[in-house]
Amino acid sequence: MSALIIGLTGGIASGKTAATQAFERRGIVVADADVAAREAVAPGSAGLAAVVDAFGADALAEDSSLDRAAMRRRIFEDPQARVRLEAIIHPRVRAALRAACEAAPGPYAVAAIPLLTEGGRAAYPWLHRVLVIDVPRDLQLTRLLARDGIDALLAERMVAAQASREARLAVANDVIVNDGTLDALDTAVGVLDGKYRGMAASGL
C-alpha cells in the first residue's frame, strides 16, 4: 500500500508522459486519468450504461462501444451535454485513480491527471502533493507544432483552452521546469523520487 500519492499534471506538450515514464522506470506505479476515463465507459461498463441512459442509444457506435467522435461533436455544440457527460465520467475516474494508487506496491504512487487544475484541486483531497511539469509557453507551442503537425493558430487555441501556466503553478507543491533534454528531465525526476521515498518513509 502506498503511503504517499502524488498528483502529476501539466499543460499540453509539457512532457507529462516522459515524466511518468521516468517514474515507472524507478518502479513507481502511475495511474493514468486518460486510461481510467476510457475504462470508465468501456463496453459493458456501468459508466457506458449511464451515458446511454443520459444521451440515448445514438451515443453508441455500431460495435456497441462509445461513439467518441459523435459525443465530441455533441458536447462541443451543447455545453450542458458536456456537463452531463463529465458528471458521469469524472467521479468514476477519480475513484479508479484513488483505488489504483492506494493499492499500489511501493513507497508512493503517482496519479497522472492532465486536467487536475481545470477540475480543481479540491476534487482530489486524497492527493498528498501536486507535481507540475512546467514549460515556457513558447517552447510548449514549438513542441506542440512539431508533435501534432498542426498550424500555429490551432496550437494557440489548444494551449489557450487549458488552465494558464500561472494557475497550474499555483496548485503545485513541486515543479519540474522541462525546458531541456530528456536526460535532464530524468535527472529531475530522480531527485524527486528520492525526496518522495524519504517523505513516505518518514510518514509525511
Side-chain angles (χ1 to χ4, degrees), residues 5 8 23-24 41 50 64 79 88 107 111 168 182 196 202 204:
I5 302 176
L8 184 150
F23 279 108
E24 289 174 329
V41 290
S64 296
I88 294 168
R168 280 191 296 271
L182 285 175
Y196 295 153
S202 64
L204 297 178

Side-chain angles (χ1 to χ4, degrees), residues 10-165:
I12 190 169
S14 61
K16 297 183 300 296
T17 298
T20 58
Q21 290 170 346
F23 279 108
E24 289 174 329
R25 286 194 296 272
R26 290 167 169 83
I28 299 303
V29 170
V30 176
D32 190 311
D34 289 339
V35 173
R38 289 193 294 272
E39 292 175 347
V41 290
S45 68
L48 184 58
V51 171
V52 173
D53 285 344
F55 294 97
D58 57 353
L60 297 176
E62 290 184 2
D63 63 357
S64 296
S65 66
L66 180 67
D67 188 335
R68 296 179 186 279
M71 288 305 300
R72 274 195 298 270
R73 288 193 299 271
R74 194 160 179 173
I75 64 176
F76 179 78
E77 295 167 358
D78 180 1
Q80 290 305 311
R82 176 187 291 274
V83 171
R84 295 203 308 275
L85 183 63
E86 290 178 347
I88 294 168
I89 295 177
H90 287 187
R92 289 176 166 83
V93 169
R94 290 193 291 267
L97 291 176
R98 182 174 186 175
C101 287
E102 290 182 346
Y108 71 95
V110 172
I113 310 170
L115 300 180
L116 190 157
T117 308
E118 289 84 348
R121 175 69 176 82
Y124 301 90
W126 43 271
L127 293 177
H128 298 101
R129 297 182 73 81
V130 172
L131 166 60
V132 169
I133 309 301
D134 183 44
V135 64
R137 181 183 174 87
D138 288 349
L139 180 55
Q140 181 183 23
L141 289 167
T142 298
R143 288 176 176 171
L144 184 56
L145 289 167
R147 188 190 75 182
D148 291 3
I150 57 178
D151 62 49
L153 180 58
L154 179 55
E156 288 276 5
R157 287 177 175 170
M158 291 171 71
V159 171
Q162 295 190 324
S164 68
R165 185 183 184 190

